[in-house]
C-alpha cells in the first residue's frame, strides 16, 4: 500500500486523468517501480507489447460508446506505458509467455494482427525482453488453472534484500486482484516456471510468430 501511494503521487500517468480505468493507476504505478515483470497471457497480447491498432480494437470492444478523443487518449496511455521497456535508465526486464490462442484470435482484423505479431518479433530482439509461446499441443499446464497474471519484482536494497514484496496482479472484468503474501508469490512463481517449461523456446516461439503473421498477411 505504501509503494502504491508513493508511485501514485508522482506518476507520469496523471496527465491522462479520467481516461484511466478505475484502480488501474495503482497497477501502472507498481509496474513503473518494478525492475522485472513476468507475465502469462492466455488470450490477449500483454499491454506492454500491444500496437496502437491492436490496443484500439480491444478498447473499442470494451467500451463501444467511448468518444474518439477519449479512445485516442487511452491508446496513448498504453503506448506511453511501453517506454518502460526502452528507457535508458533501468529498462524493465520483461518476460512474457503467451498461449497460442493469443496468436490465432483475430483482434481488429488481418492487417492489425499481422502488424501486431510482427511487432512481437521485433520487440523480442531487445535484450531485456523474453518472449515464448505455449502451443496448443502442450495440453494441460499450470496456466490453464491460473489464467492470466503478472508477477512484479522490485529493486533490491544495498544489502540484497527486496525493497518491496513481490506482487502478483490478475486483471478481472470488474477490477484487478493484488496478491503479495509469501505463499501466494511462491505458488505463482512455481506456476510461471511450469508454464515456461511447457512453452517453445525463444527461437521456436519467434518462428511461430513469424509464420502466423505471414498467414495474416496472405489472408
Amino acid at each position: 500500500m505504501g509503494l502504491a501511494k508513493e508511485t501514485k503521487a508522482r506518476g507520469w500517468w496523471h496527465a491522462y486523468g479520467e481516461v484511466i480505468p478505475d484502480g488501474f493507476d495503482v497497477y501502472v504505478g507498481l509496474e513503473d517501480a518494478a525492475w522485472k515483470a513476468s507475465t502469462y497471457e492466455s488470450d490477449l497480447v500483454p499491454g506492454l507489447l500491444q500496437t496502437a491498432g491492436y490496443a484500439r480494437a480491444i478498447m473499442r470492444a470494451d467500451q463501444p460508446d467511448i468518444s474518439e478523443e477519449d479512445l485516442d487518449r487511452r491508446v496513448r496511455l498504453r503506448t506511453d506505458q511501453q517506454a518502460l521497456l526502452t528507457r535508458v535508465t533501468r529498462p524493465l526486464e520483461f518476460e512474457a509467455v503467451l498461449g497460442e490462442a493469443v496468436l490465432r484470435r483475430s483482434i481488429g482484423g488481418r492487417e492489425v494482427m499481422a502488424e501486431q505479431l510482427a511487432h512481437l518479433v521485433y520487440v523480442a530482439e531487445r535484450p531485456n525482453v523474453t518472449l515464448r509461446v505455449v502451443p496448443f499441443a502442450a495440453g494441460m499446464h499450470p496456466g490453464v488453472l491460473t489464467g492470466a497474471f503478472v508477477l512484479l519484482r522490485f529493486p533490491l536494497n544495498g544489502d540484497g534484500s527486496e525493497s518491496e514484496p513481490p506482487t502478483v496482479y490478475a486483471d478481472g472484468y470488474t477490477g484487478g486482484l493484488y496478491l503479495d503474501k509469501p505463499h501466494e508469490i511462491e505458488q505463482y512463481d512455481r506456476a510461471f516456471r511450469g508454464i515456461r517449461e511447457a512453452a517453445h523456446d525463444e527461437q521456436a516461439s519467434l518462428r511461430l510468430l513469424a509464420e502466423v503473421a505471414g498467414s495474416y498477411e496472405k489472408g
Side-chain angles (χ1 to χ4, degrees), residues 46-90:
L48 289 182
L49 303 180
Q50 291 176 6
T51 62
Y54 187 93
R56 180 178 293 273
I58 293 172
M59 293 172 186
R60 172 62 75 187
D62 182 46
Q63 290 186 284
D65 299 326
I66 191 172
S67 69
E68 283 300 318
E69 180 182 359
D70 283 349
L71 180 58
D72 286 343
R73 293 185 69 199
R74 286 195 64 184
V75 172
R76 285 198 300 272
L77 168 64
R78 176 60 47 84
T79 55
D80 282 355
Q81 275 182 271
Q82 296 170 2
L84 292 175
L85 301 178
T86 58
R87 61 190 177 191
V88 176
T89 304
R90 195 176 57 81

Side-chain angles (χ1 to χ4, degrees), residues 119-173:
H119 177 68
L120 291 179
V121 174
Y122 169 75
V123 77
E125 294 177 357
R126 294 193 60 82
N128 58 310
V129 176
T130 302
L131 184 60
R132 293 182 176 87
V133 176
V134 181
F136 289 135
M140 187 66 187
H141 61 84
V144 176
L145 301 176
T146 64
F149 67 92
V150 184
L151 173 56
L152 299 171
R153 296 188 182 276
F154 302 97
L156 302 179
N157 294 316
D159 61 1
S161 62
E162 292 178 314
S163 59
E164 301 291 343
T167 300
V168 166
Y169 174 78
D171 194 17
Y173 189 58

